Amino acid sequence: MTATQPAPAAPPTGAPTSIFDPTLRSVTIGLLALVFLGAFEALALTTVMPAIAADLDGTAWYAMAFTVTMGSGIATLAFAGALADRRGPALPLGLGVALQAAGLVGAALAPTMSAFLLARVLQGVGAGLAVVALYVVANRAFPAALHTKIFAAFATAWLLPSMVGPLAAGTIEQLWGWRWVFGAALVVLALATVALRPVLLPRTVAAPSDPSDALGDLSSAPETGVPPWPRRAIAVSVLLAVLVIAVNAVAETPGAWRLLGVLGLIAVLVALRPLVPVGTLRARAGLPAPIAMRGLAFAAFAGAEIYVPRLLVEERHLTPTQAGLALSLAGVAWCLASGAQGRWEQRLPLRPTLTTGAALIATGTASAVAVATLDLPWWVLMAGWTLVGTGMGTIYPRLTTVALGQAPAGQDGFVSSALQTVDNVGAAAALAASAIVFATVAAVSVTAGYAACFLLSTAAATLALLVTTRVRPGPHPT
């Protein structure tokens, strides 16, 4: 007989039924504003970075402006999760917002490339603290029935920046200069901070039986005892960040340095183990499986994404604007699929949904392999990459909900940090691995280089598909 997924429990009488319920509206807007900020800032920097590098005489440090932010974020994830579990999410969220603000101001005023990179480190540290706290706030402030909806809304918050972010950043840079792009991001951060006042400021907590207090007590850890500081995990996360930056720095260099990059990737996987639940690297059934599957899916996406427009421009001779359409289509598809999961979660069984999403990612990356090797038309790649975006949007909010739903009591901060860690490390490792593979294979055949990179992503997506059999719905066993 085939096991059926248990029907979701009905929300308690008086509990909010919408993420925009009056008791949750301000927090929802604040959380979405922070996600919007991350999307806008990432896309805007990609757009204006050539102007920054030219103005600050920092062309040699072009890629490092992206890598140091990612690495410094990884370094703080374990600390942020532990702090959220011990003190509640308000403290890491407030620290994260403050450091991001300092980083944005520093980037806007940077007189040299060194100062700009330091500001990017502050932004990365702040983003690492804030994103973990953001997940914990969502997990604690919203009823379980709304978890998939709020996590789907996070993806939807990327839609507008994906469509207008680069254009807006380019326009601001042309009219007033690149420094004002960070000023615009600072305005968004200020608005998010105002909206998040119910989380950031001390408040009187209503009795647990009072359904009007939808937020509950977010200012402190649950009454399950204060967990000890995971000093080893925090130290390892710093080491992991250094490894990630180093591996990406040598990924495209020739000869022995490239071999060091391969060894560095192995070291990254070893260093990852203390930062995730036991069994994550083996995708063990239960809590480890959804975390592992999300990391594999994101690695498949990130490892191929940067080569999609490059192939379309260099091999199919499209303009950069035309090639960018592939990324826009995937972004829109991701948002729409996430919205569908948030809207119809109860009608879509978990296992078939995850299987379908992972299959779409594998099919889309496989189509990229076919385009590279069989000289198929450019629109096949665009269609395939749209499938990838649809698959990512289909699985992402569901995996997040399942993982946080299975977090042991008082450890949703740790699980949130684990989710962010596998995302960042998976993406960084995939980018480095793809760069090593492309540089090695393209030396013989550029076409084969593209195919090899897409094949690497297809393998990661296929592994994610296999892991779906180990993902289990339901809470963490007590």
Side-chain angles (χ1 to χ4, degrees), residues 202-287:
R203 54 195 301 275
T204 301
V205 181
S209 59
D210 185 355
S212 66
D213 184 29
L215 293 180
D217 186 2
L218 298 179
S219 61
S220 61
E223 296 179 3
T224 55
V226 179
W229 280 107
R231 292 182 176 86
R232 177 169 174 260
I234 294 172
V236 169
S237 68
V238 176
L239 172 62
L240 182 61
V242 173
L243 285 171
V244 164
I245 294 173
V247 167
N248 279 272
V250 303
E252 296 186 81
T253 55
W257 286 105
R258 199 178 299 161
L259 176 60
L260 286 178
V262 175
L263 296 176
L265 286 173
I266 298 173
V268 164
L269 292 178
V270 173
L272 181 62
R273 291 184 63 186
L275 306 179
V276 295
V278 176
T280 298
L281 296 185
R282 294 181 284 108
R284 195 176 71 187
L287 174 60

Side-chain angles (χ1 to χ4, degrees), residues 279-280 283-294 399 467 470-472:
T280 298
R284 195 176 71 187
L287 174 60
I291 296 175
M293 183 178 174
R294 213 176 89 148
L399 289 172
V467 173
R470 300 186 177 189
V471 178
R472 306 279 191 269

